[in-house]
Amino acid sequence: MVGGGLVGLTSALVLRHHGVAVTVVEKRSTTSPQPKARRFHVRSMEVFRELELAGLVHRAARDLAGHHQMAAGRTLVEAELLPPWQPSGAGGAVVDVSPEEPCLIAQDVLEPVLRDAAVAAGATVRFGTELVSLAQDEDEDEVVAQLLDHGSGERSRLRARQVVAADGARSPLREALGIGRSGRGPVGEPNVSVYFHADLGAVVEGREFNLCQIEHPDAPGALASVDGRRRWVFMGPGDSTDRDWPAVLRTVLGVAAPDLDVRSVLPWRAEMLVADRYSRGRVHLAGDAAHVMPPFAASGANTGIADAHNLGWKLAAVLHGRAAPALLDSYDAERRPAGWFAADQSSRRTQGLRALAAGPDPALAHPFVLAAGGFQYAEGALVHGPQGLDDPEPISAFEPVGRVGTRIPHRWLDRACTRSTIDLAGPGWALLTGTGTPVAEPGPGGLAVHRHDVDFLAAGELLLIRPDHVVAWRGTDAAAATAAFVGLLTGRHAAPEPAGA
Ligand SMILES: Cc1cc2nc3c(=O)[nH]c(=O)nc-3n(C[C@H](O)[C@H](O)[C@H](O)COP(=O)(O)OP(=O)(O)OC[C@H]3O[C@@H](n4cnc5c(N)ncnc54)[C@H](O)[C@@H]3O)c2cc1C
């Protein structure tokens, strides 16, 4: 694993969950000092749930618990909370989309939780260690990495059978492999993010928010809560870091804030770029190395977590000898379109917070499609029906019914609401059917058969669910389920090599 950021650490956790030995090298000596991402969608929390980390993450997130509302005003002091947008289904019922709640937690709080969990799970995690080069020979079944220990100055070699390049937006490994990127490039105007400390607990008490749109003509922008009390990020337009930031921030706040302390000023420009291929040989790009997108849909980190979840079970199946290497081709076939979709949707979401609070823009994908894994894989480690993608998942509404290539819909399986359909698969595969379906147990290849009468399954229907909760096959013939399961692992159903291979 190259990169011990959010995605590298999540990849390590997923691989350990599947019993794979893993080493993470991270050139920095610490986890991210910047708060960066703060909103983790329900789909990411479902991944952490599978890893038995969701409770730990929610506990670490307690500072921002309940700060989900948006606010807007001329200054912070004048800002009012905007009415929360309540997603509702038929008849106005609140939609229960996931067994998990979304989580607001700053990336600099989350990363240490993930690093400690990865170490506890048995990963070798080497901070202060940079990968300086990687040799990959097609005839060899390993790659050889040259590492530099920044503490001791020592150089060493590490052999690995597979490499996940979670080395960030500038990804030296992507560059070294000659993988280009496509997309819109820069989106919108240049911005500056100012991370500062100021005790504003009393100022925001009773109006706790996630993001506050500041409409002051001299200091327009958005103020983000990092811990809801002392740590804040202000994002405003401009390309100059050379301003009197304490004065600008006091305009934003509308109060004197005598203890205001500017910690960093980062210029940035939103970009939409997606790697032209996600894998080359034994190296697989994940996270920002594979895609960068504007922060407007809070999807950058979340898309990276989904990459890690998708790639992890496939690498494990191949490394454990349970699947043909061709299964790994499906990583690009599935995650590259998903990365493009998330990046494209993020680029289109340019409306202000007031418009956002009024409800979803019908011209855009429904917010839950992004937040709850509603993107449908058109090809990959899947067996679509004879007509192919004849029943595509809508994106203007969130209406999951267990179509092939989508995350299984969430339904509670017990009255106490502790066990969900999401929990049926991972790390193993699962076969879901109704209580009346005559199917032998265990199912094909030792598959666990789960019998539940859920509304999205017709009588006699079976769903084959992959370890990443994605529906791989749907039908009524148990023998076809066996063929699909075996075929997917042997690579018979894997996607073709990406263009330019
Ligand atoms: C201001 C800001 C706000 C954001 N807000 C959100 C948000 O609300 N929601 C959201 O989902 N996303 C958000 N993002 C995006 C999110 O932070 C990124 O998508 C996320 O950090 C990507 O994680 P990553 O692990 O792929 O990359 P990174 O976090 O960049 O980690 C890559 C790591 O690789 C290491 N590395 C690089 N090269 C080497 C090498 N040769 N050897 C060893 N290590 C190496 C780097 O040191 C780094 O630690 C935001 C980003 C910014 C900057």
Side-chain angles (χ1 to χ4, degrees):
M1 190 74 48
V2 186
L6 187 82
V7 175
L9 292 168
T10 304
S11 297
L13 281 159
V14 173
L15 287 165
R16 287 304 304 138
H17 185 56
H18 286 275
V20 174
V22 56
T23 298
V24 180
V25 293
E26 165 55 56
K27 68 180 179 186
R28 285 191 321 234
S29 57
T30 64
T31 50
S32 171
Q34 295 288 336
K36 298 206 289 190
R38 294 172 310 115
R39 187 172 178 81
F40 292 85
H41 294 323
V42 292
R43 185 64 189 133
S44 295
M45 295 310 295
E46 288 169 5
V47 173
F48 293 142
R49 175 185 179 90
E50 186 195 327
L51 299 172
E52 296 184 12
L53 289 176
L56 204 59
V57 172
H58 278 300
R59 279 196 293 284
R62 58 188 170 275
D63 281 344
L64 287 181
H67 290 217
H68 287 276
Q69 254 174 283
M70 303 297 182
R74 207 175 76 98
T75 63
L76 174 65
V77 168
E78 295 160 275
E80 289 176 352
L81 288 179
L82 297 172
W85 168 63
Q86 279 295 353
S88 58
V94 170
V95 182
D96 199 3
V97 295
S98 171
E100 287 294 329
E101 296 282 329
C103 185
L104 277 180
I105 179 170
Q107 197 167 331
D108 61 345
V109 177
L110 178 58
E111 284 188 5
V113 173
L114 300 180
R115 185 195 51 198
D116 293 351
V119 171
T124 302
V125 180
R126 295 173 61 179
F127 271 60
T129 304
E130 180 173 1
L131 178 138
V132 285
S133 69
L134 188 80
Q136 167 162 227
D137 185 337
E138 269 182 28
D139 300 331
E140 301 288 334
D141 59 4
E142 289 180 331
V143 296
V144 181
Q146 300 283 342
L147 305 179
L148 170 65
D149 183 315
H150 284 292
S152 64
E154 270 178 32
R155 286 177 182 265
S156 60
R157 286 180 355 146
L158 183 71
R159 295 180 176 278
R161 289 172 63 198
Q162 298 285 343
V163 177
V164 179
D167 51 351
R170 294 201 188 107
S171 182
L173 265 178
R174 186 190 65 232
E175 298 284 316
L177 293 170
I179 299 177
R181 292 188 293 175
S182 304
R184 293 200 181 104
V187 177
E189 299 303 315
N191 289 281
V192 181
S193 276
V194 187
Y195 171 36
F196 66 100
H197 288 186
D199 192 349
L200 301 171
V203 178
V204 298
E205 197 176 354
R207 296 181 298 142
E208 287 84 1
F209 59 85
N210 167 9
L211 262 182
C212 177
Q213 185 167 308
I214 301 294
E215 294 158 338
H216 196 292
D218 297 336
L223 185 66
S225 298
V226 178
D227 69 2
R229 192 179 58 85
R230 243 188 89 66
R231 303 203 298 143
W232 311 91
V233 173
F234 175 69
M235 291 161 284
D239 53 8
S240 167
T241 54
D242 190 21
R243 291 177 68 185
D244 181 354
W245 287 109
V248 174
L249 293 173
R250 288 190 171 103
T251 305
V252 166
L253 303 176
V255 289
D259 62 338
L260 190 147
D261 177 19
V262 175
R263 312 293 292 212
S264 67
V265 179
L266 287 180
W268 59 279
R269 183 95 187 253
E271 285 189 301
M272 184 263 178
L273 287 170
V274 180
D276 293 335
R277 51 189 297 160
Y278 273 25
S279 301
R280 188 176 285 271
R282 295 172 183 276
V283 184
H284 313 280
L285 309 180
D288 278 15
H291 41 70
V292 287
M293 58 195 78
F296 314 133
S299 286
N302 289 289
T303 307
I305 290 170
D307 295 340
H309 196 225
N310 182 292
L311 181 58
W313 71 267
K314 294 173 182 175
L315 282 175
V318 171
L319 289 167
H320 291 318
R322 289 197 287 263
L327 176 66
L328 293 174
D329 297 341
S330 68
Y331 175 59
D332 176 275
E334 294 175 358
R335 291 309 304 166
R336 194 156 49 89
W340 186 278
F341 176 74
D344 178 55
Q345 286 290 325
S346 299
S347 312
R348 293 164 187 252
R349 280 162 206 264
T350 50
Q351 72 272 53
L353 296 184
R354 286 190 191 277
L356 205 60
D361 181 340
L364 298 170
H366 191 278
F368 285 175
V369 170
L370 282 169
F375 179 80
Q376 183 175 27
Y377 300 139
E379 55 178 309
L382 314 157
V383 185
H384 284 290
Q387 270 81 48
L389 207 59
D390 53 357
D391 181 21
E393 185 89 347
I395 61 162
S396 56
F398 185 67
E399 294 170 356
V401 292
R403 295 176 177 91
V404 170
T406 62
R407 152 195 172 275
I408 183 174
H410 154 67
R411 296 290 185 276
W412 289 116
L413 298 176
D414 57 357
R415 287 220 174 133
C417 298
T418 59
R419 195 163 149 71
S420 159
T421 43
I422 300 285
D423 303 324
L424 296 175
W429 291 66
L431 193 62
L432 173 64
T433 193
T435 49
T437 313
V439 59
E441 291 187 54
L447 268 177
V449 178
H450 298 271
R451 297 175 187 281
H452 299 281
D453 294 318
V454 287
D455 59 330
F456 56 86
L457 270 191
E461 268 197 306
L462 300 131
L463 281 194
L464 179 62
I465 313 166
R466 309 190 320 194
D468 56 358
H469 322 151
V470 168
V471 177
W473 170 92
R474 181 174 188 148
T476 52
D477 179 356
T482 309
F485 176 64
V486 173
L488 288 170
L489 292 181
T490 54
R492 234 175 347 110
H493 293 289
E497 274 281 287

